[in-house]
Amino acid sequence: MKRNHRINAVAMLALAALVTGTGAGFAATTTPSATPSATPVATHAFDAAPATATATAPTRSFQGALPAPTGPYAAGEDVIHLTDASRPDPWVPSSGPRQLTVTMVYPAVPGTGTPAPYMTLAEAVGHIQRAKIPASSGITPQNVSSVTTHAFDGARPQHGKHPLVVLSPGFGDPRMVLTSLATELASQGYVVALVGDTNGDSGETLADGRTPPCAICDDPNLDMDTVTAGRALDVSFVIDQLTHGNTAWPLAHLIDKHEIGMAGHSIGGAAAAATMIADPRVRAGVNMDGKFYPVPVPGQINRPFLMLGETDTHVADGFDTTWGQTWAALGGYKKWLTVTGANHPSFTDVDLLEEQAGFPTPALDPERGIVITREYVTAFFDRTLKGIHSPLLDGPSPDNPEVLFQY
């Protein structure tokens, strides 16, 4: 199984604690992040939950809470449903045109709106089922869906136009595992689109109420280049819908269509690169701990790109050789940073939710992982989409000793 499969699935666990596609979850796996494996079946920490639960006695009533965003704005949230009538669903063609569920997170007026759920009950059921989480864990669809997000449904938007950042999760993971990053970006003045991979993760609730399970997670012959190409088509379609009027989203007028970036975790990070190759509107990209599928060639990406990953895997002589190849091919402003003590899900909500559920976590404190991810991704987009210089990207910082500048 390719690491991106395993990896991304793990995030689901924390969600459900939510595992499913990220590769380092509750019962942290030992497979190196860039080492391919025979089958792409997602391995999550929660997949090992029966044994882990006995050994660590997780809390019997899981109550998850993500850290509050730190910017001057609140985070408003809307969930929208889009249908691309121009192409069938790539994973289940018989289901008809490609349908996408997208969470829009935007700069909002504090004190407005109502608390947004982490996910629907049906999505939570899908996560728990795929992760094989036992009832004895205390993790239920109700408490997973009610994780505190610090996002607010129907919140009044801030005035003005804001850069758009698209977020893409790891393989098998639902879009929600990047909620902490999304709310932070919104609080700092970005509109964020969290794009789910319908039929390619544990479940996305569609406009008609269906929440289809993953159709490809257990496919041993799945080509990951095909996955990133499909996500690139999804993202370009979403950008089209959000930048041509406001029929797709009533608040689309908030978006500065000339300032668009994309970040992703694991295979979502690879998809950020694939999208930049296919769509010149995406001006800056971030890969968080993902192997590149495919590896860009010189001349394909001459726009800013940030590579942010765990130190054990993503150093020059690490397991994942695609980072070195990609670094050599990138032609624009670029940074290659690694985080000591991190594991694959450290760049998502997963580790923190797993800790709150009573499961083991990596050497890096889960909340530190979220803080580091938020600070460096925000600083990168501030520089590349807003033209705001941040000394955080100039070199090592005493406030963040875990972050190593590889180049």
Side-chain angles (χ1 to χ4, degrees):
M1 156 178 87
K2 296 182 175 69
R3 164 170 176 32
N4 287 63
H5 283 119
R6 178 176 54 82
I7 284 182
N8 298 332
V10 173
M12 196 174 137
L13 171 72
L15 271 189
L18 310 292
V19 278
T20 93
T22 56
F26 269 53
T29 57
T30 57
T31 306
S33 66
T35 303
S37 167
T39 52
V41 178
T43 299
H44 317 293
F46 267 149
D47 286 342
T52 305
T54 300
T56 63
T59 52
R60 287 296 177 263
S61 181
F62 167 67
Q63 293 182 319
L66 303 178
T70 66
Y73 308 126
E77 179 178 306
D78 288 329
V79 176
I80 64 174
H81 302 279
L82 304 175
T83 299
D84 185 353
S86 70
R87 61 189 179 108
D89 186 275
W91 310 129
V92 185
S94 62
S95 67
R98 179 64 163 166
Q99 297 184 62
L100 297 171
T101 300
V102 182
T103 299
M104 302 301 304
V105 191
Y106 57 91
V109 176
T112 63
T114 57
Y118 195 40
M119 61 179 69
T120 67
L121 280 174
E123 289 164 342
V125 168
H127 297 318
I128 290 173
Q129 289 178 343
R130 180 151 186 83
K132 301 180 178 67
I133 299 172
S136 61
S137 69
I139 297 167
T140 68
Q142 289 75 20
N143 57 33
V144 169
S145 66
S146 63
V147 165
T148 300
T149 66
H150 300 284
F152 295 89
D153 284 331
R156 191 163 74 249
Q158 294 285 344
H159 294 298
K161 290 191 176 293
H162 311 275
L164 171 67
V165 174
V166 180
L167 296 182
S168 183
F171 181 82
D173 290 340
R175 67 194 189 280
M176 304 81 165
V177 299
L178 298 176
T179 296
S180 291
L181 177 58
T183 55
E184 177 66 16
L185 286 167
S187 80
Q188 300 289 351
Y190 292 88
V191 173
V192 180
L194 280 162
V195 182
D197 188 3
T198 307
N199 294 309
D201 63 23
S202 58
E204 302 282 338
T205 299
L206 304 177
D208 61 7
R210 293 183 302 112
T211 308
C214 189
I216 60 174
C217 288
D218 300 331
D219 182 356
N221 299 312
L222 185 65
D223 176 35
M224 298 308 286
D225 288 7
T226 301
V227 174
T228 58
R231 291 204 185 187
L233 290 173
D234 286 346
V235 171
S236 289
F237 170 70
V238 169
I239 293 173
D240 287 343
Q241 296 296 296
L242 293 176
T243 57
H244 291 82
N246 62 353
T247 57
W249 182 44
L251 299 181
H253 62 274
L254 297 176
I255 295 172
D256 181 349
K257 65 178 67 177
H258 302 294
E259 302 293 347
I260 299 174
M262 180 176 175
H265 175 245
S266 197
I267 197 67
T275 302
M276 290 184 72
I277 292 171
D279 193 334
R281 293 175 297 180
V282 181
R283 297 188 54 191
V286 180
N287 182 345
M288 298 180 291
D289 211 55
K291 187 173 183 178
F292 286 90
Y293 296 99
V295 174
V297 300
Q300 286 187 317
I301 300 179
N302 292 322
R303 284 156 283 160
F305 204 91
L306 169 65
M307 304 191 304
L308 177 67
E310 55 180 314
T311 299
D312 288 347
T313 301
H314 292 122
V315 292
D317 57 350
F319 293 109
D320 186 354
T321 59
T322 67
W323 276 42
Q325 297 168 36
T326 298
W327 179 260
L330 294 173
Y333 173 80
K334 56 185 179 179
K335 292 291 178 179
W336 178 343
L337 311 180
T338 62
V339 183
T340 302
N343 68 359
H344 191 58
S346 293
F347 307 91
T348 71
D349 302 339
V350 172
D351 280 347
L352 179 61
L353 293 176
E354 289 180 350
E355 179 183 61
Q356 293 170 352
F359 288 89
T361 54
L364 180 71
D365 177 81
E367 194 149 357
R368 279 294 295 157
I370 289 175
V371 168
I372 289 169
T373 301
R374 284 174 155 187
E375 288 186 353
Y376 283 86
V377 172
T378 300
F380 175 76
F381 284 129
D382 279 353
R383 175 176 180 133
T384 57
L385 298 181
K386 292 184 177 181
I388 300 173
H389 174 261
S390 171
L392 201 61
L393 296 172
D394 292 342
S397 165
D399 293 332
N400 296 303
E402 308 94 335
V403 180
L404 307 178
F405 280 65
Q406 299 297 327
Y407 291 98

